[in-house]
Each structure stands twice: as structure tokens, then as C-alpha cells.
Amino acid sequence: MALSVSSIATLTLTRFSSSSFNRISKRFSSRAPTNTHNRPQMSSSSSSPTEPKQSEKISAPYGSWKSQITADVVSGASKRLGGTAIDSLGRLIWLESRPSESGRAVLVREPDRPEGEPVDITPKDYAVRTLAQEYGGGAFSVSGDILIFSNYKDQRLYKQSLSPNDSSPVPLTPDYGGPVVSYADGVFDARFNRFVTVQEDRRQSSTNSTTTIVTVGLDGKNIREPEVLIGGTDFYAFPRLDPKGERLAWIEWCHPNMPWDQAQLWVGYISDSGEVHKKICVAGSDPTIKESPIEPKWSSKGELFFVTDRQSGYWNLYKWVESNNEVLSVYSLDAEFSKPLWVFGINSYEFIQSHEQKNIIACCYRQNGRSYLGILDDAQGSLSLLSIPFTDIDNITLGINCLYVEGASEVDPLSVAKVTLDEDKSKAVDFKIIWSSSPDCLKYKSYFSLPELIEFPTEVPGQTAFAYFYPPSNPNYQATHDEKPPLLLKSHGGPTAESRGILNLSVQYWTSRGWAYVDVNYGGSTGYGREYRERLLKKWGIVDVDDCCSCAKYLVGSGKADGERLCITGGSAGGYTTLAALAFRDTFKAGASLYGVADLNMLRAETHKFESHYIDNLVGNEKDYYDRSPINFADKFSCPIILFQGLEDKVVPPDQARKIYKALKEKGLPVALVEYEGEQHGFRKAENIKFTLEQQMVFFARLVGRFKVCLSGHLDNRKGNNGHLDNMKREQCGSKDEVATVESRGSEVASVSEEMMSQMAFFLGPPPPHHHNDIYVLLNFNILSKPWNLTIASSQSESPSQPKCRTSSQRLLLLWKLSKSQLPMAPGNLPSPPTSSPPPPSYSLAPPSIPSAASSASSLAPVNPEPERAGEGPVDITPKEYAVRTMAQGSESGGAFRVSADTDTLVFSNYSDQRLYKQSLTSSTIGDSSPTPLTPDYGGPIVSYADGVFDARLNRYITLREGIRRATPIINNPITTIVAVELDSTDIREPEVLVGGSDFYAFPRLDRKGERLAWIEWSHPNMPWDKAQLWVGYISEIGEVYKRICVAGCDPAIRESPTEPKWSSKGELFFITDRQNGYWNLYKWVISVYSWDAEFSRPLWNFGMNSYELIQSHEQNILIACSYRNEFWMFTCRQNGRSYLGILDDVQSSLSVLNIPFTDTDNIVLPKILCPFSLCAKAVKYLTGLYISKLAYLSMQTLGINCLYVVCSEGVTLDDHKSKAVAFKIIWSSSPDCLKYKSYFSLPKVIRFPTEVPGQTAFAYFYTPSNPDYQATQEEKPPLLLQAHGGPTFESRGILNLSIQYWTSRGWAFVAVNYGGSSGYGREYRERLLRKWGIVDVNDCCSCARYLVDSGKVDGKRLCITGDSAGGYTTLAALAFRDTFKAGASLYGIAVLTMLRAETQKFESHYIDNLVGSEKDYFERSPINFIDRISCPIILFQGLEDKSVPPVQARTIYHALKDKVLPVALVEYEGEQHGFRKAENIKFTLEQQMVFFARLVGHFKVADDITPIKIDNFN
């Protein structure tokens, strides 16, 4: 919540810096002389008004003084500066924001002649502003006579010629239908005629935007999607090209850091095709150095300079030596040479000259509360200061033989000055103001209060903090001798920001009326180095509040302020400090919060991405979030508060202000809320800036000040007042309801426009006592320059929207807005069984012995070790109160536990709290050992772990962590990292982050020595099978990853998705990737081990895949056991679509296939002594993992399936040469009794059918009806149930599945389709679905059904379709857009693609972007939008805890079909997620599908005794 340069302050809310010093001057005695420089020329109309002599001063109470500095002057004066540039002729171009034009930002060019007027460049229909990172900055760039700028309304980039003959802007980026993609901080790339810029894409989520560095073509005639150069990290800034366009430097950082906490500087090398093909981390990757590099810049010689705080904790200048990747200090000083990266486009230094031996650099820095401009010689290491009037400097732009400097002082408003240097570039010979935010402000100079820099003691003994104090100042007034002034204390925003002692007319507005004013730089402020800045870590709401209270008490103790009239104000984070000070301290008597924070948890949940983790570092744990949120302690407030809020604020949404307003109103405290339409985080419209100032003044004056405020600038003959409001009376309205009208008249009341008064709530003095706490405030006003009236109505009176008491004003306006709350949708229940019997059947089948429930166990199963001796049964390891399951990556679990064979230690994820636990597996403790927790308790299952490995070297566990410690809607955007968890359970600590910054991670794998860590990472919008990267990090002696190398996936010329990295005992890294032929084959860093058109792995839907094992390693070769799947056409018909288990020799590149019964294998695990583990998460009985300790068989185990075996774990014993399988034994089976039903089994046949694309085919497994006791009549064709698998990047496999046999044994034909887009057939087949989901899958399913009808295998009038998840979408789409099927069943399927995109979990949040296409495609392929096309019955099944496809999807399609009077049913299951795991729900789902299809399509009665559910619109 950085104070985005608040509109009631001048733009220069820049940061005050200081080194450690013992004595601070009370005044700015060090201010540079000004008499030798040119001052801005004022017109005659700007001459200072006549001021009375000192003897003519009027004695009047503080606060009641009249001043020429009115709110109109302040609001009209606060033009804001948004950057500067130079055109081809050396003329200055600047961006100014104009409050008089509702904050519109316009580019202006310096006049050609000194006597000329500046020229507006931006056409009236445009405004130059970017919304990137909410705070913007870097909204334009100039190269020669070409301007590129971001247009505020649509956020598109436009190109504009600066030639007077051709000035119409031309768009460069696509129109996305709204301001959903923003650009900032760009540079021209002359080599490729393009623009390199930061892009923030909010199309998928406004709270979780995707930030990348992209290129935009400069040919405005051909608008294309920007091409991503750099991506994968949370944030980017400062993309900077070297002079030749061959190297790109940039800054990046990732959650939970802010850019000033920890960041990295990278350099990428640009290929001839314009892509970044090699990357080097220059600064920020060494874990022993905590730094935040910023502002990279290339010299004309191609040297890279940047600013970082790596040594002293102050931002100093450094240089990169490319030849040995070394960083050298250019100049060291306890001063800040840059500032926090709140906005893009910071420019604190410029290269004046570059010689072979040295660079001459103009730079600015802050020290001891002021800024300096200097010339630095990097060769000599010398710094010469330039004497200029500015005491505060922001940015520097290099002109022709001059510098353009953005700065200010205590008597100069924010300005741009042209500083001309001598020939030696060592002195300033001329200083001229080119632009000023307030060109007429000097006529009020006699009113100015000059700031005193004060150092005051904090509550920490021996510690001090800093502030700028402004005493009351007015040439016409003086206070009585014994009176002390009221004090307004300002808490700045950020909170990582700084107050600066510069001319700010909003400050002078108060001091010229007799207020003392203090601007506090509490602990945590910038400008004082990292140590001072980090005082606030974990202590926001404590240190800042304490320092503000200490400062106020210090001023009271010094006799400079009245202790009974202390007020506090602040914007954004300063608004939070204001509210916290009023809630938790009793120092202040009233407060004003401008877009401030009342609820830290709400801020964490609702703020934008840039700051979504900011306060995690500032607050602490969940208890701190509660304890430091003012809203939770409304009972502790005891003084008046006024709140101001922009209704379009994304940083601190309006609900924050409304929540605190409502709480204080209900408590009966004087409170007011003003909301502004069209304002965001910081007010930009002149009328709103004016109104905010005035209403704060009146509020404090009436409730605290005890004086009458004068808002106008006209003097009257009164010399004082009695401290009360004059001319105020209470009248009785003519109604039986008791209503009081308060009228305020007089010159002190300003006119109020209609826009300004929207939704204003304001107390005019205390309410009458008989109204108690229930007060409605009605505002009656006239839009002309006449007084306005307030009506205060009791709650017993008529509704405030229909008041009976009206005044003579011309319009009545309700002061607060009653928001409509959304009615929660009640959870659905299972429909009741119908009272009537089902229709009579045409024929029936007796139920076979196969149970109707295809699953009889929950997935929350214990871990079971293999028995130590033959004849013994498995022993449960997991105690009954625990369940082993991880929720990492949504509902797609896997990798929930790991066993160390060395120590017989088990680490597992417990389902209920998602914490990691450690458990001993020694034979003496199995069955009675108690798990001990390793990770913190966060109060719920909000942090998950998966896919871990033991690190014996450092006695820790390295694992993936997915953290969602925040409220919705950020719950859909968890942060994934690789962390280290200490195995010493006696000291539970927060896991240490080893690797972070990308969206996703998998397969953290250590080499045998624990010195290198390999992992897979990928980022949106890719899925891991689209594009991923394999990295290796080197681990330091203290356990941190200090060096990283990208092994695979970084070359833009190679599209690949590496997976399953694994280290051999010799320290060689193996992995699987699809880089050459499009099939996942085995590689070694980084050469091919064995190439074949077969898949050696599968898509990473679940953690913990293990498709190969290293059996033995010799000096020359490694034997590898591997499983793979081959496309059916490479084999005979009986080998179609099956898996193989083989032994691969990496040196000879030979593969020997083992002869085992399984036709489908998933995982292979080999223990230390040739004793395996097995893992699987897809079966009839869910096998979540089987690990074998060192007491188990000396054999290799795999996990596999064939058409007569369900999911099993097998023991495979090899011969001495490791080339043949000599024994095969089933160790575990998901359904050990299934073979008793063998006579009912229908064996699958792989079919190859033509698709709608000529010459193209697709594949499916077809199951014919099969029952040993029944046969159909000769002429009858069976009904068909077609299954569309989920994923959709998934695969149907021809294995034993009792749920399929349930249908075929009852006389149904069944087909499982591998439509185009399925895995198992290589990348080319898998990518058939790109941009065509809802088309290719639907077409292939329909084609398959028609193929079976034409082949005479099924009845064309009894075709049904079913599918779950993505298969449920294909089901609904087929029923909406085709007429092939007669009924359908959707299990947790998708009805609205845009809803899925908005609400699904992070893992799949960008998945469908690649599968669908444009916004038009999202609409046209969503079945819910075409209900009129659905004409057949549908039954829907949904888990109420589903995060992948939320229940609202099923409910939406259900209500739509019900309204259309189609037969439809909806079944919702409590406690189920994405996929049903409870036996009773699996049973119920199968049975109700069977009855539904039988009643509505099959025309027969099912033989099972099933009570059907109620079907809407069906009798």
C-alpha cells in the first residue's frame, strides 16, 4: 500500500535518506545558495499580495487563521510529474498529471524558443498512464522522433511521431476489450525494430496477474500478440539493452519478497532470431549476500552498472565485470543512490561521458535528510558535488550539454530544472526551471513554514527516529502568548516510503491556518539504509505506531504542540497507522484515514499481486494479523474518525473503509465516510483533493480544535472567536418523528459540487442525546455556490432514503450507500427417491456377482509395509487418527510420503492438517510408534508438502511446499517453493526456502553427496507437459542453493518438457524429455540415452512419478530398469497400446524387454539393496504409495496392470546379468478377490477409427457386452456408453477396471476414447487439442460412436456418453453442439469455460488458455451459453469441496436445463473433492447412472435393486 503519491500532497513523496550521524541541524543550514542561479520568472499577476507589517498582526486562536493558501490553490497546484525524456533535437519532454482535467496525464514538450509556450503532445482523446503494478510509472519512452506510450483508457501501447506533420497515435498491441493488459518501463530495440517492455497480464485474474518481459513489433500495420522474452518469475523491472542490442539486463524478484527486500539482476544474451538463449545472474543469487539490486544501465562501452545495497546496507553504485562474472564497487558511501521500486522508470544516474579508461557519471543521492547532485569518476573513485538550489532530487535525464533534474526544496515545489555544466563536467554554471508543479506558489512565500528536521527518542531505549516539524506560520496572524497550537501528525504511506522536507502546499494549508504539522519517518522508512528500514519487519502496527506517538509526545514535551489537540492523518499504509494509533493508543484525539487499512486479513486477501505478500513480512503469524487489525478492536476506539476512499481502489479496496465505518457507527462514535467515484489509490481530481482537505479541516476543528475554521481566503474584521461554531441552531422539522436539522451558514462554508458529494457521510457536531447510537446522516445541498445543510435523523424515523424532513435546498442526497449482499447458495442435498415405480422394462438381465460398487475403500488409507516373513499379513504403519495424503497442486495428490532406507524413517503428509510428520519404521516400533510433527501448525490445512527427499548431509527433508496462508480469493493462487524441513522434531521451525520464483516445481532430487539439487520448474501459461525446465543448483556448506544451471528447457529453439530427473551413484544426472522426436525418451545431462517413438514417462498430473530406476552403475555403463508405452501401430494387434518393462544399457544403447504379465506399468522403485518402492494414485482401490524397508525382498518391484489384473505391486526377480525376469510375484493388489469375477470380464480391443479430418485417425478401447449367463436376441444391438477421459491431457488404458465391467456384464457396450489431445502418443498427437478443446475431443468421440454404429457393434438409438472433469466438459459439449448421443452423465464436469478459468486452482488456472483460444472461443464453446441446443437428458454429479471445478459449474447447468424443462438430475456429495473417494458415493454414482440411462434411453429395467433418484422434468 504504497502511498501512490497522494493527491493531497505534491508528487515528491520521495524518500528521505540519512547515514548514521550524531547531530542533526534543526534547520537546513546546508542548503545550497540560490542567488547565483536563475529563478522561475513570475508574471505580474503572480506578485505577492500586500502583507501587513508585524505590528498589524491579528491575535487569534491557532487553527482559526485565514490564509491565501486555500484548498483551491492546493488542488490546482498539485500537478504531478510522471517522467522526462529528450527528443532528437534535445528538447525536454515531460509527463504531467493535471487535477483540473480529472487527473489526466499529458506529455508536454519544451518550447523551441525561450519565449515560446510548452506544447501538448498527447491528443485530447488520450491520457498517458499505465496501471502496471497498480502504481504505474515508466508509461512512455522516446527514441529520436518516435514516442511509445501507454494509453490509460485501454492500456494499449501506441506509437506516435513527434514530427508536427504526423502526430496521430497508432496502436501497437492488441485490443483485449478492456484495460486488462498493461505495459511499462520499455526500451527501443533498434536491432529488431521492436519495443522491449514489461507486460502485466490480468486477463485471467485481477489479483494474480502474470508479469513478463515481452517484445512488441513497431510496425503498427500488423498488430500481433507480444512475444514473451523472459517469464516465470513473479515480477520484472528495468529491461535494459546494451548499445548493440546483444545483451538484455533486467531485475526480477518473487514472492514473498518486495524488490527492496531481495531481488536479482540478470543478463540474457540475445540470439540472431531475437530470443534470449543464455542467462547469467549478476547479483542477488548468492545466499550469503542479502541485497536488492536496482537500476541496471549499460555504458556506451557496453559495461553494466547498477545500484545495490550488498555491503553497507545502503544503495551504492556497482559495476559488473563480465569476463569473470564479478561485481565491483564503483563508489561507497553511507547514503542512498536510489530508492524503493514502488514505480517503474526510476533514473537516479546518467552517463555523461565514457572513455576507454573511465566513465563520468551524474548521480543523485540522499544523506542527512537532503539530496545531492554529483559527478562521479569511476576510474578515480571521486565524487564532486554540484551546487544547485534543490535539496530533494528524484530523477536525472541527460540532455545535450546539460542535465534535466527533477527536484524540489523547502521553498521550491516539485520542478524540472535544466542544469548546464562547464566543459570539465565538474561544475554547474546555470540553473533554470523548465517546469513547475505550482508555478505561482512563490506568491504565497510569506505564509511558508520551513521544516525543522527533528530527531526524537522512541520507546526503545537509546533508539531515535526522525521527522520534519512545521510550526504554524502566517504573516497576518499570531496566537495568544499562552496558547499551544493543535498538531496534525502525518504518517506516510508505504510503509516502505519516506517523508521529505520539501514545499508541499497541502502542509502549508494547515500551518498557515495556525496548525503545527509533523511528518514522521518512523522506523521502517527508507532513506536511512537497510537496518533502519528493517525495523518494521514483523512489527508493522507496533513500531510505526509507537514512533508516531513518541513524536507527538516529544513535541508536547518540548512545548511545541497542545497535548489536548493532537490529530493524526495518513493515506494507505499511513491510514492503517492512523487507525492503529487510535485503536491501540490514547495519544490522539481524532484521526483521518485516506484509503487506509482496517483489516489486515482483508488486505492480504483482496490486494493486488504486487503487495499480496508484502505484509507477510511486516506482520508475522495469523495471531498478529488478528491482533493488529483495528477492525477487531472497535471497542478500543474512543475518538472521532473521518475516512476517505476511492471506489476504484485495487490496492486497498473500499470494503476496508466501509467495514471500519460501520463498526464505529454502531459503537456510536462520531464517524464519517466519503467515497469518490472514479478515484483509485490516491486522489487525482482537483475537486476531490479540495474537498478532502476542507473536510479534514472542518472535522478536526469542530471535534477537537475548539475554534471556528476559516476556509475562505478573505479577511474579516474579527480578531478572534470563542472557539465554538458560530451561527449554528437546531430546529424541529414539522413531522411527528423526531428529526433535528442543523444548518451551517457563513463564508466559511465552501460550495459543493454534485460529483464531490457522492456518498458522503459527515457529522456536523455531536448528535442530540436522544438519538443515542442510531444516527442516519442525510445531506441536503445545492450545487450552486450556496450553503449546504445536514439533516440528522434517528433510526426510529422513516427510512433515510425517504425522509419526511426536507429543507429549502434544491436536492437531497443520501450520504451512505447500502450495498446488496449476495445470498449464499444453499448446499444441495441428494434428491429423494421417487414414490412411483420406474417404467416397465423391455427386457432384463439378472445381476451378476460383480458388486455394484467399484470401490470399497476410501483413499485415506494407511501406509502398509510388506510382511517380513511369508505367511504374515501386512502391518498398518499409520495410526488410526492419521491419514496419508497431500493436497499439493489441488486435488491431484501424490508424493505424500518418503522412507529413508538408511534410517528406517518415514516422513508423511497428514491429510487433516497437511503438516509433515516423522515416524520410525524399525521393527520394534512398527504399529506403535507415534508420529511427531516437523512443520508448523498454521491452524488449518493451508500449507501442503509433496515429493520430498532426505538430505542426510544436513539432516533435513527437501520437499515441495504449496502455501495458501491467506483468505480467498488468493486461495486460488498459492505460492509453490522448494523448502528444507529440519528433521529434528524437537525444534519446529518455519521451513527454509531453497528455490522460489517460478509458478511450479516438481522432482527435487539430491545427488548422492547432497551437493547438487536437481528440480523441474515451469510457469504459466504452460502445463508441465507443454514446456518446462530442468535446473541444477549447487548447495553450499550452510545448505543454501547458491548457483543454478539450466540443464534443459532454456533453449528457445528446442521445445521440450523434461521430467523425472535422477542421479546415478556416480553423480550423473539422468532425466526424461521429448526434445527430439516428440516422445518422452531418456537423456543424460545432456545427451540422448535411448531414442524411440515410445513414451518413457507420462504427464505430470501427480507428484512422485518414477518410471525408471538405476539398477547398477559401473565405471563404463549404467543399467536402467524402465517402463514405457508404445503406440499401437508399431506392434501386432495384441500389443496395441500396452506397456513394457525393460532393462536399458546406457553405453550400448540396448534395450532388453522383460517378459511379465502386466500390459500396463506405472512406477518402478529400487531400494538401496535392490529392494523396491512402488507408487500409484489411479486404481480401483487407491494405492497412494507402497515403500519397502530394508527388511523386504531382494527383488525389483514395479506397479502394473493388465486386462486380468487390477492395480498391483509386483516383485520381479532378475537374473545375474539383469537382463531377464526369473520370478514374478504379486505383492499388493487393489482388488485381491477380483479374479472370482473373471468369467464376466470383457477384454478390451484397441480400435483405430477415422476422425473428421481426412486421413487422420484416433484410438479407443472397445469393450463388448459379456456375461456367462446371458445373451441378447440375435437382431438386437447393445446400448453404448462412451467414456471421455479427464485431463484432457490424459489417456484411457486398456486395463481391468471393474467400473467398466459393471456396464459390460449388464449388457452394455463400452468404449473409452483416446481422442486427439490424449497423452501416450507423442507430442504431435497431444497437441491436436491446442486451441481446439471442445472441437477435436467432441468430434473424435462422435466419430468413434458413429464408427461403432456403422460397424454394427452398437445401437445408434441408444448412445450415451459419460465423463469426469474435462471428460464431463466433453460430455456436455457433445450434447450441446452435436446430436450423436441420446443422454449423458457429467461427473464434476465443466459447463462454463470462463468460470473455470476464473475459479479453478492455480495448477490449472492457465491450462485452458492453450486449449481454448480467444474470448470469443471461451463463449462459443461453453455449453451453458447454448442451452437451447441441448435436447436430451443429463445427470450431474458433484463434490462440494471441489477446488478444480467448483460446484457452481454443475449448479449453473442444472438450473438452466431445469428451466428449459429437460429431464435433469443433480447429485452433490458432502466432503468430496475432485474425484469421488468414498465407497458409498462411488457406488451411488454408478447405480444412478445405470438407472438414469436405462429409464431414459435404454428402454429396459435394470436387474439390480436400485432406488432411482428424482429426475426433474421427468414423470
Side-chain angles (χ1 to χ4, degrees), residues 1467-1502:
V1467 180
E1468 294 184 327
Y1469 296 123
E1470 295 282 355
E1472 291 284 17
Q1473 300 171 11
H1474 198 63
F1476 306 147
R1477 293 171 179 262
K1478 298 178 182 179
E1480 62 270 24
N1481 295 338
I1482 299 172
K1483 174 179 181 291
F1484 193 79
T1485 301
L1486 268 176
E1487 290 179 338
Q1488 294 308 318
Q1489 284 186 82
M1490 177 67 73
V1491 174
F1492 186 86
F1493 291 145
R1495 296 174 71 188
L1496 294 164
V1497 177
H1499 314 309
F1500 52 81
K1501 179 181 178 181
V1502 295

Side-chain angles (χ1 to χ4, degrees), residues 303-608:
E303 296 172 304
L304 180 62
F305 287 71
F306 61 98
V307 176
T308 191
D309 55 349
R310 62 164 45 197
Q311 291 177 342
S312 63
Y314 289 86
W315 275 305
N316 284 189
L317 199 59
Y318 287 78
K319 180 169 64 175
W320 176 50
V321 180
E322 183 177 14
S323 58
N324 55 358
N325 194 21
E326 183 182 4
V327 172
L328 300 178
S329 174
V330 175
Y331 192 82
S332 181
L333 184 66
D334 285 353
E336 302 280 35
F337 281 74
S338 189
K339 52 185 177 288
L341 202 163
W342 279 109
V343 295
F344 292 108
I346 300 172
N347 200 56
S348 304
Y349 66 100
E350 282 278 12
F351 294 102
I352 299 178
Q353 291 179 351
S354 293
H355 303 290
E356 290 185 3
Q357 290 79 23
K358 65 179 180 179
N359 294 284
I360 305 297
I361 304 168
C363 58
C364 62
Y365 65 92
R366 285 188 67 77
Q367 188 180 50
N368 294 356
R370 66 155 289 168
S371 294
Y372 298 88
L373 180 65
I375 303 297
L376 194 154
D377 186 321
D378 72 325
Q380 297 182 6
S382 62
L383 179 64
S384 304
L385 297 184
L386 301 178
S387 178
I388 63 172
F390 288 162
T391 58
D392 187 282
I393 300 171
D394 261 353
N395 293 314
I396 303 171
T397 300
L398 181 65
I400 299 177
N401 299 319
C402 68
L403 295 172
Y404 290 96
V405 180
E406 301 174 26
S409 73
E410 65 268 29
V411 294
D412 295 300
L414 174 66
S415 307
V416 178
K418 181 177 182 179
V419 179
T420 305
L421 304 179
D422 63 2
E423 292 183 358
D424 296 330
K425 305 296 186 292
S426 60
K427 294 180 180 180
V429 296
D430 189 33
F431 178 93
K432 181 181 180 181
I433 299 294
I434 303 298
W435 176 89
S436 173
S437 62
S438 301
D440 297 331
C441 68
L442 287 184
K443 66 171 145 183
Y444 308 111
K445 184 176 180 181
S446 61
Y447 289 88
F448 291 171
S449 174
L450 300 185
E452 300 175 10
L453 182 61
I454 61 172
E455 182 177 12
F456 58 89
T458 70
E459 293 197 359
V460 178
Q463 189 185 81
T464 59
F466 312 102
Y468 292 99
F469 175 69
Y470 300 78
S473 175
N474 189 306
N476 304 313
Y477 285 89
Q478 62 184 9
T480 57
H481 181 67
D482 55 347
E483 186 187 10
K484 297 293 188 293
L487 173 72
L488 181 60
L489 180 145
K490 181 186 174 185
S491 171
H492 65 67
T496 310
E498 180 190 3
S499 296
R500 295 189 169 192
I502 62 175
L503 179 60
N504 185 335
L505 288 186
S506 66
V507 174
Q508 305 300 327
Y509 175 82
W510 293 89
T511 58
S512 64
R513 281 166 175 76
W515 283 74
Y517 191 102
V518 65
D519 214 344
V520 183
N521 277 318
Y522 47 77
S525 303
T526 58
Y528 302 85
R530 181 181 285 271
E531 183 179 351
Y532 191 91
R533 191 168 72 239
E534 292 184 346
R535 284 186 188 180
L536 207 61
L537 293 184
K538 307 299 181 185
K539 294 183 179 180
W540 190 33
I542 299 176
V543 168
D544 51 324
V545 171
D546 287 344
D547 287 359
C548 287
C549 293
S550 295
C551 181
K553 289 184 282 193
Y554 171 80
L555 292 171
V556 171
S558 304
K560 295 182 178 181
D562 183 351
E564 297 300 318
R565 293 189 289 176
L566 301 178
C567 299
I568 184 171
T569 187
S572 190
Y576 165 71
T577 302
T578 294
L579 295 173
L582 297 175
F584 306 125
R585 307 290 189 276
D586 58 3
T587 304
F588 301 98
K589 310 306 178 185
S593 170
L594 285 70
Y595 37 93
V597 182
D599 187 335
L600 292 174
N601 266 315
M602 188 183 294
L603 174 70
R604 180 172 61 169
E606 295 184 351
T607 195
H608 60 143

Side-chain angles (χ1 to χ4, degrees), residues 937-952:
D937 183 357
Y938 299 111
I942 55 177
V943 177
S944 299
Y945 305 88
D947 207 15
V949 292
F950 288 88
D951 183 358

Side-chain angles (χ1 to χ4, degrees), residues 845-862:
L845 286 175
S849 301
I850 298 177
S852 61
S855 177
S856 59
S858 167
S859 67
L860 302 181

Side-chain angles (χ1 to χ4, degrees), residues 1176-1198:
C1176 183
K1178 181 176 175 59
V1180 177
K1181 228 181 189 179
Y1182 286 83
L1183 176 61
T1184 57
L1186 178 64
Y1187 274 43
I1188 306 302
S1189 70
K1190 58 188 177 185
L1191 302 174
Y1193 300 111
L1194 300 183
S1195 61
M1196 181 179 68
Q1197 269 188 358
T1198 66

Side-chain angles (χ1 to χ4, degrees), residues 1396-1410:
L1396 173 70
R1397 181 174 61 176
E1399 296 185 354
T1400 194
Q1401 94 280 18
K1402 179 183 177 183
F1403 178 60
E1404 296 180 77
S1405 60
H1406 291 255
Y1407 180 26
I1408 61 173
D1409 288 343
N1410 296 328

Side-chain angles (χ1 to χ4, degrees), residues 284-307:
S285 63
D286 189 339
T288 64
I289 301 175
K290 191 173 185 180
E291 63 179 323
S292 49
I294 192 173
E295 292 196 62
K297 190 171 292 186
W298 300 90
S299 72
S300 60
K301 298 187 297 180
E303 296 172 304
L304 180 62
F305 287 71
F306 61 98
V307 176

